[in-house]
Amino acid sequence: MIIFITGATAGFGAAMVKRFINKGYKVIATGRRSERLDQMKAEYGDHLYPLVLDVQDKEMVSKAIDSLPAEWKRIDVLINNAGLALGTELAQKASLEDWDTMIQTNINGFLYCTHKILPDMVSRNHGQIINLGSVAGEFPYQGGNVYGATKAFVHQMSMNLRSDLLGTNVRVTNIEPGMCHTEFSEVRFKGDKEKADSVYKGIKALSADDIAETIDWVITRPAHVNINVISLMPTQQAFAGFSVHRT
Ligand code: NDP
Ligand code: 8X3
């Protein structure tokens, strides 16, 4: 089994690399931080193929995938995991640059990888695509604006892929986690570790291993079973009600 993971250098991606290699699968680990990929290669050896790529760069994605050696080309599972949130400012105060980066990574990066890898899966009539959505794609919260909207896109594109792939054996799943303690908040708050840690203070957040285990379950269902969506949260996280501004 060959698994292609975007965003393998941290968080969910790194936990998946470890889990899947320990199970004997082969993993193509991708990300921008080549030094982390080199460390992984040194740790995991022949079962890992490190591939440096920035999902925002269409040409780089295409060339990197074309460069895979023949024995790594038959990808069984694509995990579109690379993604990020930037900031929690209200829309009227948010940075347009941050919005562009989230759209370019979470939407376009996801599309570039999928568009490149999917045709071969269809021609082999075999494959699976796992996408990382979020509870933020379903439930609104203050400051979630564009991040949540990108994850709503990932949800709907996942379901539309299911429609297009009807009649093939290619499966698609959208995983929609709530709060999970990874580098996610450090990235969101641009390196402010104290602020990032405060997000998880006093709660037992999900772990990256929880997500890796969930995805492992999805990819080991029998071929006739397609898990459409999984939404999971820490027990200590739930939904806010409608808010009302009274005058
Ligand atoms: P981390 O910040 O821990 O890891 C993100 C990964 O994405 C890194 O490996 C990073 O690698 C990679 N990445 C980011 N931008 C790019 C890019 N332009 N090109 C290639 N790789 C990129 O976050 P998580 O593991 O928590 O998040 C993984 C996914 O799960 C994201 O899509 C996120 O939105 C989603 N998610 C996270 C939740 C959470 O609470 N943590 C909850 C719900 C969903 P590098 O910097 O080396 O490129
Ligand atoms: C991230 C989950 O709850 O921090 O996708 O928005 S949350």
Side-chain angles (χ1 to χ4, degrees):
M1 170 115 82
I2 298 181
I3 305 186
F4 186 107
I5 303 175
T6 68
T9 56
F12 302 170
M16 285 188 268
V17 170
K18 184 174 182 195
R19 185 177 187 94
F20 295 148
I21 286 188
N22 284 339
K23 288 189 77 170
Y25 302 156
K26 292 170 85 177
V27 174
I28 301 166
T30 78
R32 292 165 301 178
R33 284 172 285 183
S34 59
E35 67 287 355
R36 289 205 182 181
L37 294 175
D38 291 345
Q39 278 165 16
M40 285 177 151
K41 178 71 187 163
E43 185 174 354
Y44 297 118
D46 287 349
H47 272 64
L48 184 133
Y49 191 91
L51 194 63
V52 178
L53 61 80
D54 181 342
V55 295
Q56 299 175 87
D57 184 335
K58 199 185 335 188
E59 291 299 313
M60 193 179 193
V61 167
S62 180
K63 281 187 185 150
I65 295 170
D66 284 342
S67 78
L68 286 169
E71 65 273 24
W72 286 92
K73 277 196 191 296
R74 293 164 70 89
I75 295 164
D76 299 289
V77 183
L78 163 63
I79 304 181
N80 283 306
N81 166 73
L84 79 174
L86 289 172
T88 49
E89 290 77 20
L90 304 181
Q92 56 272 34
K93 290 185 179 161
S95 142
L96 192 54
E97 203 185 353
D98 285 351
W99 282 6
D100 279 341
T101 304
M102 288 188 277
I103 290 168
Q104 195 54 29
T105 308
N106 302 356
I107 297 182
N108 287 335
F110 151 55
L111 294 178
Y112 297 155
C113 294
T114 304
H115 190 264
K116 184 73 187 173
I117 290 171
L118 181 60
D120 185 59
M121 287 183 172
V122 172
S123 71
R124 288 187 287 127
N125 200 21
H126 165 84
Q128 198 163 4
I129 299 181
I130 312 286
N131 300 321
L132 264 297
S134 167
V135 292
E138 185 177 6
F139 304 103
Y141 61 83
Q142 276 195 343
N145 45 68
V146 167
Y147 176 67
T150 64
K151 293 303 185 180
F153 179 95
V154 174
H155 171 93
Q156 196 59 24
M157 186 63 192
S158 301
M159 298 308 104
N160 282 342
L161 282 169
R162 286 278 294 125
S163 298
D164 288 359
L165 291 165
L166 184 67
T168 77
N169 289 329
V170 180
R171 297 182 283 171
V172 183
T173 302
N174 199 40
I175 307 289
E176 304 179 357
M179 294 167 80
C180 183
H181 201 160
T182 60
E183 293 178 12
F184 177 83
S185 290
E186 252 181 275
V187 172
R188 183 170 219 170
F189 298 121
K190 300 175 180 165
D192 185 340
K193 192 155 168 24
E194 205 179 323
K195 198 168 172 188
D197 287 344
S198 72
V199 171
Y200 309 105
K201 206 166 167 217
I203 74 157
K204 185 161 175 56
L206 298 176
S207 69
D209 286 337
D210 292 327
I211 305 304
E213 185 180 5
T214 302
I215 292 174
D216 189 2
W217 180 79
V218 170
I219 67 177
T220 48
R221 291 315 84 211
H224 69 286
V225 178
N226 190 99
I227 306 296
N228 294 333
V229 177
I230 292 184
S231 171
L232 67 163
M233 276 178 169
T235 308
Q236 285 175 275
Q237 182 183 22
F239 323 102
F242 289 114
S243 43
V244 179
H245 174 68
R246 297 181 200 281
T247 54

